[in-house]
Amino acid sequence: MKKLIFFMMLAVAVAFTSCVKEKSGFGSSGKISGNLITNDSLSNGKVPVPNAMVYVGFDYKPNTVTYSYKTPSDKYGHFEIPFLLSDGKYQLYAIKSYLRDGVQYTVSLDTNLGYPQENLTLFLRPDLKTGRLSGVVEMHDSLTNGSMTVRSADVYIGYNFVPNSTHYTYKLQSDANGFFISPLVPFSDTLNYTFFATKNIFIGGRMMTFSRIRTFSEFRVGGNLLELLPTDSVGFVRIMILDRSGSTPQPNVTWCLYSDPRPFYKPKPCEGSFYSSSTNINGLGYVSGLAQNGKYYIKGYKPFGNDTLWVKDSLVIPGSPYPDFTFKFK
């Protein structure tokens, strides 16, 4: 009788253990593995989601899934859940939350897998999905002597910046106040955004291209300042012309550049020069595209009563990005 009771208890224990094993979904060689990707139009589905929590549910019923196991994805967005029943039916739920500008955002997925599968690619979708990237385009201060916004500048937005291989998806233009705002783009704590802004500007009758590439290390919904710089950074020259005492900037001075000193002695002003312009109201003039370490000659003149004031001098372009030269009337 005691033996019978013992075998009955053993049978109940085995049956109970088998039931627990079946409900847990574990106990065989099945495996679910794959990569979690952010589903968005900007990256075209290439941005991994690390540290997301992946939950697996076994023997589920619609809307009543009981998840019995969870594991985080690694830094590449990869996850793996081993030792599953090869004939079991599974459902996965993955979720990742992060904080942006005081707001909690979440990306997630919920999918009915059926039998265990490996090497999956699963796309997590944002709950609040998107935001707008905005900012302002400004000119380099050494050109404008202050901050000047740039209207109608082309602004490109890309992701995962790598020099010379940025993938740009959106193209915008700054408005009359230099302001730009993007269409809706996805939030991601693994995605840095790169801006490329460019604008062609005519100065002294010559077209100059100003541009700027800037990548923000953190997602910034607003306040993205893009300050344009001349592309010919070496050889972009600012010239100031002063009075004879060297104290007062002189506006409306016609000045010319020569690569050969001999035209200096020709009687007609600017005859034989390759570039000519006039100083602005602050006594400043600008020129770009000059050769690094090149030597040039400048001649400037301004009528003064019955006389003419002259500048005659030379300048050598250094390797520094924005050389300044100051001359005064003789």
Side-chain angles (χ1 to χ4, degrees):
M1 187 66 178
K2 291 183 178 180
K3 288 184 179 180
L4 179 59
I5 294 174
F6 172 76
F7 283 117
M8 288 178 64
M9 293 177 62
L10 181 62
V12 170
V14 169
F16 179 77
T17 304
S18 176
C19 181
V20 170
K21 180 189 295 184
E22 185 174 335
K23 286 187 176 181
S24 72
F26 290 87
S28 189
S29 58
K31 180 192 296 185
I32 297 175
S33 66
N35 296 292
L36 304 180
I37 304 293
T38 299
N39 187 26
D40 61 69
S41 60
L42 187 67
S43 69
N44 294 323
K46 296 178 181 178
V47 179
V49 185
N51 304 315
M53 294 307 302
V54 182
Y55 300 81
V56 62
F58 171 74
D59 199 18
Y60 59 89
K61 295 179 181 180
N63 304 318
T64 59
V65 181
T66 299
Y67 292 99
S68 56
Y69 181 81
K70 68 177 181 179
T71 184
S73 56
D74 65 17
K75 64 180 180 180
Y76 304 107
H78 182 77
F79 73 94
E80 183 173 300
I81 302 172
F83 309 120
L84 302 177
L85 300 178
S86 58
D87 59 348
K89 293 184 178 181
Y90 295 89
Q91 183 156 324
L92 281 183
Y93 176 66
I95 186 169
K96 172 68 180 292
S97 297
Y98 45 90
L99 195 65
R100 283 280 176 255
D101 300 318
V103 178
Q104 191 78 21
Y105 295 93
T106 302
V107 291
S108 64
L109 70 85
D110 192 352
T111 181
N112 177 355
L113 277 185
Y115 299 111
Q117 300 178 48
E118 299 180 34
N119 301 316
L120 296 167
T121 299
L122 300 174
F123 294 92
L124 277 64
R125 299 175 181 273
D127 57 350
L128 299 179
K129 291 192 177 179
T130 52
R132 286 183 169 90
L133 299 172
S134 62
V136 66
V137 182
E138 293 186 352
M139 185 64 71
H140 185 261
D141 283 348
S142 70
L143 183 71
T144 63
N145 293 317
S147 177
M148 181 182 79
T149 57
V150 181
R151 65 182 300 172
S152 301
D154 291 325
V155 180
Y156 300 83
I157 301 177
Y159 72 95
N160 276 11
F161 175 69
V162 178
N164 302 319
S165 62
T166 304
H167 178 80
Y168 293 103
T169 301
Y170 297 125
K171 178 184 177 182
L172 318 168
Q173 270 203 333
S174 59
D175 63 14
N177 299 309
F179 181 79
F180 67 89
I181 185 168
S182 76
L184 295 174
V185 297
F187 288 93
S188 172
D189 60 351
T190 61
L191 189 62
N192 293 331
Y193 289 89
T194 296
F195 296 86
F196 172 62
T198 183
K199 172 76 173 180
N200 291 328
I201 296 173
F202 285 88
I203 298 178
R206 295 188 61 181
M207 187 182 77
M208 298 177 61
T209 299
F210 289 76
S211 65
R212 182 71 184 271
I213 294 177
R214 186 172 182 188
T215 298
F216 293 95
S217 58
E218 295 183 358
F219 188 97
R220 296 177 61 174
V221 176
N224 298 294
L225 174 61
L226 305 177
E227 190 181 37
L228 299 188
L229 307 174
T231 53
D232 296 329
S233 58
V234 175
F236 175 77
V237 173
R238 184 175 72 169
I239 291 171
M240 174 176 283
I241 297 180
L242 305 175
D243 62 2
R244 286 175 171 171
S245 67
S247 59
T248 305
Q250 298 296 294
N252 303 316
V253 178
T254 300
W255 57 278
C256 320
L257 287 179
Y258 305 78
S259 56
D260 186 333
R262 288 173 292 181
F264 260 10
Y265 304 104
K266 292 189 176 183
K268 292 183 180 180
C270 292
E271 183 181 2
S273 66
F274 67 85
Y275 181 83
S276 63
S277 186
S278 298
T279 57
N280 62 20
I281 58 173
N282 299 305
L284 295 171
Y286 306 94
V287 62
S288 67
L290 303 183
Q292 184 178 354
N293 299 318
K295 185 174 183 179
Y296 299 92
Y297 302 87
I298 183 171
K299 182 162 62 174
Y301 65 94
K302 181 179 182 180
F304 184 73
N306 296 324
D307 196 5
T308 299
L309 302 176
W310 292 92
V311 168
K312 294 181 179 180
D313 212 328
S314 64
L315 58 156
V316 176
I317 308 302
S320 57
Y322 308 108
D324 292 338
F325 294 91
T326 301
F327 304 98
K328 63 180 182 179
F329 286 127
K330 303 293 184 181

